[in-house]
Amino acid sequence: MLKANSTPSLILEQVFTGNIIPVSHEKILAEYDEVLRRRKFNFPENNISKIINGFLNRGIFCEPAELDYKLIDERDEIFLAVAISSGAFLITGNTKHFPKENFVVTPQEMISFVQQSSRDHS
């Protein structure tokens, strides 16, 4: 939402076109809602609602797995626990905050994966 045509905006676009199905949990949606409402971003309410509702309508909800360890930022644990539980990718710009696992990917890695997958299926 900060920059049109940025890699994170392409990820969001892929969610809305159905090429990426978000896996979520109520704590994750609450975190997104809180972050998107931060004064420094000044996002319009309808944009915030569109994103949250998009994740609600297009997403799969999953109970988090039990984690055997703590992350640097406790708020990141729900993201890791849901990714482990569901077998989904965890897309983050802060890979240093998570264990080195093949399912923890950057936005650019995810876009490359989606593009490759699209080519393979056409």
Side-chain angles (χ1 to χ4, degrees):
M1 283 178 47
L2 287 174
K3 280 176 90 172
N5 299 318
S6 66
T7 304
S9 74
L10 294 174
I11 296 284
L12 200 53
E13 182 181 307
Q14 294 300 308
V15 168
F16 283 96
T17 60
N19 292 327
I20 293 176
I21 298 171
V23 179
S24 197
H25 183 271
E26 61 193 35
K27 288 183 180 178
I28 291 174
L29 289 179
E31 170 84 1
Y32 287 162
D33 190 65
E34 185 272 321
V35 168
L36 293 172
R37 291 180 188 285
R38 289 181 183 163
R39 180 176 275 159
K40 69 179 181 179
F41 296 128
N42 197 30
F43 293 134
E45 175 63 35
N46 62 331
N47 288 8
I48 295 169
S49 295
K50 182 180 176 183
I51 288 174
I52 298 300
N53 288 332
F55 275 66
L56 281 168
N57 295 329
R58 291 172 174 79
I60 297 169
F61 282 77
C62 183
E63 288 302 313
E66 295 279 330
L67 295 180
D68 294 333
Y69 48 88
K70 298 288 183 190
L71 297 179
I72 295 168
D73 186 344
E74 216 175 74
R75 295 173 301 176
D76 289 339
E77 290 177 5
I78 188 66
F79 294 90
L80 180 61
V82 166
I84 290 170
S85 178
S86 66
F89 286 105
L90 191 162
I91 307 166
T92 179
N94 297 317
T95 56
K96 293 177 187 173
H97 290 190
F98 297 94
K100 288 191 179 262
E101 298 285 349
N102 62 352
F103 63 87
V104 178
V105 298
T106 66
Q108 185 57 56
E109 289 169 328
M110 188 67 204
I111 287 296
S112 295
F113 177 77
V114 169
Q115 290 171 340
Q116 182 62 45
S117 180
S118 188
R119 283 192 292 270
D120 291 348
H121 289 97
S122 51

